[in-house]
Amino acid sequence: MQKLNKVIYSKESKTGVAIQGFGVICFFAAITLLYTATTSNSPALYFFFAGFFSFSMLLWGIGAYQKRKFSKLGKTPLTLTPSICTIGEEFKGSIDIEKPNFNRVKIISITLWHRTMRGDDSQKDILWESSAITHINHVDGKTILNFCFVIPYGKEPTNKAFFSENKYFWEASFEFVESMQSIKRTWEIPVKI
C-alpha cells in the first residue's frame, strides 16, 4: 500500500559535502605524492603535489561556501501528498523552512526535464514548465510554503532507467536572491501516469 505523504530533501543538501569530500580525496592524493617526492627526491613530483594540494584546498573552499549558502535556509524538506504524483490529478506539496516570517518565495516551478545520453555526452532540455503560487503559513517559529498542482495529460512520467538513453524526470524548485546571492532549492518529484 502506498504511503499518503512522502518527504523529499533538496538536491542542494548534499552539494557542499560532496565537493568537500572530493577535496579530501585530492588532499590524500597530494599527501601520497609528497611522500613519493620526498623518498625519490623528484622535482616533478613536488610540482604535481603542489597542483593536487592547491586543487584540494580550492574544492574545500568551494564546498564550505556551498554549505554556508545552504545553511541560509536549512534542509527545506518537501512533503508530497500523495507520495507519487499522477498525471491529470492534483497533488499537494508543502515545504518547511526553519525561519520565522520568511516571505521571499511566492512561486514554485514544476519542470519536466529530458536528459539524453549519447556515449559520454549528456544534454538536459526542458520539455515543459509551469508554476504554482505558494500559500505561506507561519507556524511555531517556522514557515510552511503550501502549493497544489495538476500536471496535464500528455506529459512523460518519470523514467530514469539505468540503460536508457532518454531519461525523463520532474523537478519542483524555487529561487530568490538574498545578500547578492542566488539561493535555489530543487527537489526531484516522482510522476506516474
Side-chain angles (χ1 to χ4, degrees):
M1 185 172 169
Q2 175 176 301
K3 292 193 312 186
L4 289 178
N5 298 325
K6 179 174 187 165
V7 177
I8 302 169
Y9 291 95
S10 69
K11 292 179 182 179
E12 290 79 11
S13 64
K14 298 177 183 131
T15 303
V17 174
I19 293 171
Q20 283 187 322
F22 191 63
V24 168
I25 291 169
C26 289
F27 178 76
F28 283 124
I31 295 300
T32 304
L33 281 170
L34 179 63
Y35 174 75
T36 307
T38 55
T39 56
S40 68
N41 205 13
S42 171
L45 288 178
Y46 284 112
F47 177 74
F48 284 117
F49 158 74
F52 268 90
F53 182 76
S54 300
F55 188 61
S56 69
M57 292 298 107
L58 176 66
L59 288 175
W60 186 265
I62 291 171
Y65 169 77
Q66 290 296 332
K67 285 170 69 174
R68 272 194 315 278
K69 192 170 155 181
F70 175 76
S71 69
K72 288 186 184 248
L73 283 184
K75 292 184 179 179
T76 61
L78 165 66
T79 304
L80 287 180
T81 306
S83 63
I84 296 178
C85 308
T86 303
I87 292 175
E89 295 179 15
E90 182 178 79
F91 70 89
K92 295 179 181 177
S94 66
I95 301 168
D96 292 351
I97 298 174
E98 296 293 329
K99 287 180 107 176
N101 303 319
F102 179 77
N103 296 313
R104 302 294 306 256
V105 176
K106 308 284 189 227
I107 294 177
I108 304 291
S109 295
I110 307 293
T111 309
L112 169 59
W113 289 93
H114 177 227
R115 181 180 297 148
T116 308
M117 306 288 285
R118 290 200 177 95
D120 292 339
D121 190 30
S122 173
Q123 180 179 341
K124 267 175 58 172
D125 298 309
I126 295 175
L127 293 183
W128 182 82
E129 185 173 29
S130 190
S131 59
I133 296 174
T134 60
H135 302 284
I136 302 171
N137 295 318
H138 303 287
V139 180
D140 297 330
K142 66 180 181 177
T143 303
I144 300 173
L145 306 176
N146 293 307
F147 65 96
C148 59
F149 207 87
V150 176
I151 296 171
Y153 288 106
K155 303 302 174 205
E156 295 288 335
T158 300
N159 176 12
K160 293 171 57 177
F162 187 70
F163 290 109
S164 174
E165 290 182 1
N166 295 307
K167 301 175 190 297
Y168 297 93
F169 63 97
W170 289 84
E171 195 173 76
S173 64
F174 69 72
E175 188 171 7
F176 67 96
V177 176
E178 182 176 289
S179 304
M180 296 177 51
Q181 284 185 330
S182 175
I183 311 284
K184 184 173 185 176
R185 288 290 189 274
T186 55
W187 302 264
E188 274 195 37
I189 56 175
V191 174
K192 68 176 184 176
I193 294 178

